Amino acid sequence: MVSILFRMLCGWMIGTIVSLYIHELGHVMVGIANGWKFILLTVGPLKIYRNDVHEKVKVGFEKNIMNWFGIGATVPVGHSSNNLHIWAKILIGGPVFSVVSGILLMTGAMCARNLFLLMFGLVSLAIGLVNAIPLPFRTGFFYNDGKRFKRIKEGGTSAREESEIMNIVEKGVIDGEKAIFHENECTSLITSEDPIYRYYGYYMLYHSAMKYDTQLAGNYFRLAEELGKEIPSSVIKMFPLDDKVE
């Protein structure tokens, strides 16, 4: 009995770590298959990354514990109207990889009568289903994969918000430190019913305006700072207002 429980525990622990890697690799591989470039893969404290798509891949320590649950990121290398559609495929790629690997592992476990593989497969399947179902809550800034995929596909305000987030990321990667954002690029975010998205919109406008108009940057800073009272501290840690302007 103790031996069975021990194998189940080991299967669950090791299966969780490996299943998270499989899930994030799903995101990364779909992105690469669509011409995007690898930028980050992290599960637990291990971080595989590069700061620029032209740099070599590095291995380091992930300091932000919120990221230990897994991030797999690829980025576009050019502006394209098709990028949002690709982003939707990347979002659903992780859950699909998890579900498929879970089914295969469970099938193999039943054929081999292997309890360890069975636990491994169950964990992978659970991770896939939890991320595929469009749940209404979020972890920090982001909704889960299924919810974001649904927001893009259903169109309307939700899709415009996701599109603006995608455009900000795209422009930031392609243009680097030269990237400038204006209100017409963040309209859906700063008028969103969601205070987290409003905060993010003003946060990006503030940091952008610091490059060309400190008075305008101050206005954006104060709007973001006020919204900071309504949102989780985990979001503020992700997007901190460090350089206060008067």
Side-chain angles (χ1 to χ4, degrees):
M1 182 65 179
V2 174
S3 175
I4 293 175
L5 290 174
F6 179 74
R7 279 184 289 169
M8 289 178 67
L9 180 61
C10 287
W12 175 75
M13 293 176 64
I14 297 172
T16 297
I17 295 171
V18 177
S19 294
L20 286 171
Y21 271 112
I22 290 172
H23 180 87
E24 299 306 333
L25 276 172
H27 292 308
V28 170
M29 292 177 69
V30 172
I32 292 173
N34 283 274
W36 290 21
K37 298 295 184 181
F38 169 79
I39 202 78
L40 175 66
L41 175 63
T42 177
V43 173
L46 177 65
K47 177 169 69 172
I48 304 169
Y49 71 104
R50 51 184 175 184
N51 296 318
D52 185 276
V53 293
H54 303 294
E55 288 185 358
K56 291 183 178 180
V57 175
K58 304 175 183 177
V59 177
F61 178 80
E62 176 55 58
K63 298 179 182 178
N64 189 343
I65 296 177
M66 290 296 296
N67 293 339
W68 285 18
F69 295 100
I71 295 179
T74 53
V75 293
V77 292
H79 298 293
S80 171
S81 59
N82 198 41
N83 279 346
L84 186 63
H85 175 66
I86 295 173
W87 176 232
K89 291 194 289 186
I90 291 170
L91 286 169
I92 208 64
V96 169
F97 267 61
S98 293
V99 170
V100 170
S101 66
I103 292 172
L104 292 175
L105 285 165
M106 290 172 65
T107 301
M110 287 185 284
C111 292
R113 297 184 179 181
N114 188 305
L115 187 58
F116 178 87
L117 280 180
L118 181 62
M119 290 301 298
F120 189 173
L122 284 170
V123 170
S124 187
L125 181 63
I127 288 173
L129 292 176
V130 167
N131 281 278
I133 298 169
L135 301 173
F137 57 85
R138 71 213 312 168
T139 302
F141 178 73
F142 297 105
Y143 288 106
N144 75 343
D145 299 329
K147 178 69 172 179
R148 297 193 72 189
F149 178 83
K150 181 175 182 289
R151 282 168 56 83
I152 292 171
K153 291 301 181 181
E154 68 186 4
T157 301
S158 297
R160 287 193 293 272
E161 290 171 356
E162 293 294 336
S163 178
E164 287 184 357
I165 292 171
M166 180 67 254
N167 289 336
I168 287 171
V169 173
E170 175 186 311
K171 194 172 183 179
V173 169
I174 296 170
D175 298 342
E177 294 182 358
K178 298 179 181 179
I180 297 292
F181 305 103
H182 299 286
E183 281 198 26
N184 64 339
E185 299 172 275
C186 303
T187 304
S188 294
L189 291 174
I190 63 177
T191 59
S192 173
E193 295 181 359
D194 188 333
I196 290 178
Y197 283 152
R198 292 204 304 276
Y199 173 86
Y200 177 69
Y202 284 122
Y203 166 87
M204 294 305 303
L205 290 170
Y206 155 64
H207 279 284
S208 180
M210 283 291 290
K211 300 171 186 176
Y212 64 89
D213 188 334
T214 55
Q215 183 176 353
L216 181 60
N219 293 335
Y220 291 141
F221 178 93
R222 284 182 282 275
L223 288 165
E225 187 178 43
E226 187 64 28
L227 284 164
K229 301 172 184 177
E230 304 178 39
I231 64 177
S233 59
S234 59
V235 175
I236 296 174
K237 288 180 181 179
M238 290 179 70
F239 308 110
L241 291 166
D242 293 327
D243 307 313
K244 185 172 181 178
V245 295
E246 299 297 336

